[in-house]
Amino acid sequence: MPLMLRYAVSAGEHAVNSDDSGLVLSRACSVLMILAYGAYLYFQLKTHRQLFEPQENDQVEDDGDDLVSEDEAVLGFTSAMVWLAVMTVITALLSEYVVSTIEAASESWELSVSFISIILIPIVGNAAEHAGAIIFAFKNKLDITLGVSLGSATQISMFVVPLSVLVAWVMGVPMDLDFNLLETGSLFLAILVTSFTLQDGSSHYLKGLLLLLCYAVIGVCFFVLRRRSADGSN
């Protein structure tokens, strides 16, 4: 919506009340997106929890009557929370260092900031998450694999991004949701491809290959972005 608002105003089709109307729209959308994410969590964890529970084929029978899980917990709740807190602090410190060196790395590697921040950093930063999803997929637990991958994407797009806009608002930083045409189009196409891939509830190698090729096309697009600008083509 911020992108369409900017193009509508620049084309002279509509007028706005002030120059920061896009910023106001982004902040309003951020609040609504966080409310939507909260409703999604309440729907998933409270009212319709049964829709997100594993199917019976992910369990084995015990004595022919009861169904028990194949896996046992490695860590207790307290230990898991302690490890989560420690890893969160370490990740925050490393992320601060990475952010401060992105522009220098972009110049030395001759890569665009968009390619580093959209392609390289997520691959490295989410390596453990990707490995976990692959391991669950090899165990034929596709529901957990999709929960890890799609849940992370939903959390970033519907919670982390709008929360960043609101935090920037509190800090007095004019951050909006206008991701420009290329970034918005890539996100839109990725959502469409993923939705059509998952709509029939089945999986095979061709779907995985097409998703990987789609990601590769998006990566190449951001890779050549700076080089085209440097050559004066834009």
Side-chain angles (χ1 to χ4, degrees), residues 1 17-18 61 81 117 120 136 165 197 208 225:
M1 295 303 297
N17 296 328
S18 59
E61 295 185 0
M81 294 303 296
S117 57
L120 294 185
F136 284 122
V165 174
T197 302
L225 184 62

Side-chain angles (χ1 to χ4, degrees), residues 17-206:
N17 296 328
S18 59
D19 294 336
D20 60 349
S21 295
L23 187 60
V24 173
L25 175 61
S26 297
R27 291 168 177 172
C29 289
S30 298
V31 174
L32 298 178
M33 290 168 68
I34 291 180
L35 291 177
Y37 184 72
Y40 164 73
L41 291 181
Y42 186 75
F43 178 87
Q44 182 183 29
L45 302 177
K46 186 69 176 177
T47 60
H48 291 71
R49 185 176 180 179
Q50 68 279 4
L51 299 178
F52 300 90
E53 292 180 349
Q55 301 297 321
E56 293 185 357
N57 57 5
D58 289 336
Q59 299 174 331
V60 295
E61 295 185 0
D62 182 19
D63 296 333
D65 295 326
D66 299 330
L67 293 175
V68 296
S69 176
E70 294 178 352
D71 301 323
E72 296 181 357
V74 178
L75 296 176
F77 179 79
T78 303
S79 301
M81 294 303 296
V82 171
W83 276 107
L84 180 62
V86 172
M87 292 298 103
T88 300
V89 172
I90 295 176
T91 302
L93 295 176
L94 294 177
S95 299
E96 182 68 23
Y97 174 76
V98 169
V99 170
S100 62
T101 58
I102 284 181
E103 294 186 357
S106 174
E107 295 179 358
S108 61
W109 295 349
E110 296 185 354
L111 297 174
S112 65
V113 175
S114 298
F115 179 78
I116 295 177
S117 57
I118 296 176
I119 305 299
L120 294 185
I121 292 181
I123 291 178
V124 178
N126 297 329
E129 183 178 273
H130 298 158
I134 294 174
I135 291 174
F136 284 122
F138 271 112
K139 293 183 178 181
N140 199 27
K141 296 185 177 182
L142 191 58
D143 53 341
I144 301 180
T145 301
L146 293 178
V148 170
S149 55
L150 297 182
S152 176
T154 303
Q155 184 184 64
I156 294 297
S157 60
M158 295 297 295
F159 179 73
V160 176
V161 171
L163 181 63
S164 300
V165 174
L166 296 182
V167 171
W169 185 12
V170 174
M171 298 175 61
V173 178
M175 178 180 180
D176 56 30
L177 294 175
D178 188 355
F179 297 124
N180 297 323
L181 183 60
L182 180 60
E183 289 81 0
T184 305
S186 299
L187 177 62
F188 182 73
L189 290 176
I191 293 174
L192 282 182
V193 172
T194 305
S195 299
F196 282 117
T197 302
L198 300 177
Q199 66 178 353
D200 60 351
S202 63
S203 62
H204 45 74
Y205 74 91
L206 182 59

Side-chain angles (χ1 to χ4, degrees), residues 193-194 197 204-217:
V193 172
T194 305
T197 302
H204 45 74
Y205 74 91
L206 182 59
K207 288 185 176 181
L209 178 61
L210 292 178
L211 289 174
L212 289 175
L213 294 178
C214 180
Y215 183 79
V217 169

